[in-house]
Coordinates of all heavy atoms in Angstrom, one line a residue:
E80 N 15.0 0.0 -4.0 CA 15.0 -1.1 -4.9 C 15.7 -2.3 -4.3 O 16.8 -2.2 -3.8 CB 15.8 -0.7 -6.2 CG 15.6 -1.7 -7.3 CD 16.3 -1.2 -8.5 OE1 16.7 -0.1 -8.7 OE2 16.3 -2.1 -9.5
G81 N 15.0 -3.4 -4.4 CA 15.5 -4.6 -3.9 C 15.2 -5.0 -2.4 O 15.4 -6.0 -2.0
E82 N 14.7 -3.9 -1.8 CA 14.3 -4.2 -0.3 C 13.0 -4.6 -0.3 O 12.0 -4.3 -1.0 CB 14.5 -2.8 0.3 CG 14.3 -2.8 1.8 CD 14.4 -1.4 2.5 OE1 14.6 -0.5 1.8 OE2 14.2 -1.4 3.8
G83 N 12.7 -5.6 0.7 CA 11.4 -6.1 0.9 C 11.3 -7.3 -0.1 O 12.1 -7.5 -1.0
S84 N 10.0 -7.8 -0.2 CA 9.8 -8.9 -1.0 C 8.5 -8.7 -1.8 O 7.8 -9.8 -2.1 CB 9.7 -10.3 -0.2 OG 8.8 -10.1 0.9
Y85 N 8.2 -7.5 -2.1 CA 7.0 -7.1 -2.8 C 7.2 -7.0 -4.4 O 8.4 -7.2 -4.9 CB 6.4 -5.8 -2.3 CG 6.4 -5.7 -0.8 CD1 7.0 -4.8 -0.1 CD2 5.6 -6.7 0.0 CE1 7.0 -4.7 1.3 CE2 5.6 -6.6 1.3 CZ 6.3 -5.6 1.9 OH 6.3 -5.5 3.3
S86 N 6.1 -6.9 -5.1 CA 6.2 -6.9 -6.6 C 7.1 -5.6 -6.9 O 6.8 -4.6 -6.3 CB 4.9 -6.8 -7.1 OG 5.0 -6.5 -8.5
P87 N 7.9 -5.8 -7.9 CA 8.6 -4.5 -8.3 C 7.7 -3.6 -9.0 O 8.1 -2.4 -9.2 CB 9.7 -5.1 -9.3 CG 9.2 -6.4 -9.8 CD 8.4 -7.0 -8.6
Y88 N 6.6 -3.9 -9.4 CA 5.6 -3.0 -10.0 C 4.8 -2.2 -8.9 O 3.9 -1.4 -9.2 CB 4.6 -3.8 -10.8 CG 5.3 -4.5 -12.0 CD1 5.5 -5.9 -12.0 CD2 5.7 -3.6 -13.1 CE1 6.1 -6.4 -13.1 CE2 6.3 -4.3 -14.1 CZ 6.4 -5.6 -14.1 OH 7.1 -6.2 -15.3
L89 N 5.2 -2.4 -7.6 CA 4.5 -1.7 -6.5 C 5.3 -0.3 -6.4 O 6.0 0.0 -5.6 CB 4.5 -2.3 -5.2 CG 3.5 -2.0 -4.1 CD1 2.2 -2.2 -4.7 CD2 3.9 -2.9 -2.9
V90 N 5.0 0.6 -7.5 CA 5.9 1.8 -7.7 C 5.7 2.7 -6.5 O 6.6 3.5 -6.1 CB 5.6 2.4 -9.0 CG1 6.1 1.6 -10.1 CG2 4.2 2.8 -9.0
A91 N 4.5 2.7 -5.9 CA 4.3 3.6 -4.8 C 5.2 3.3 -3.6 O 5.4 4.2 -2.8 CB 2.7 3.5 -4.4
A92 N 5.6 2.0 -3.5 CA 6.6 1.7 -2.4 C 8.1 1.9 -2.8 O 8.8 2.4 -2.1 CB 6.4 0.2 -2.1

Side-chain angles (χ1 to χ4, degrees):
E80 184 178 352
E82 187 178 0
S84 53
Y85 311 123
S86 166
Y88 295 105
L89 205 59
V90 291

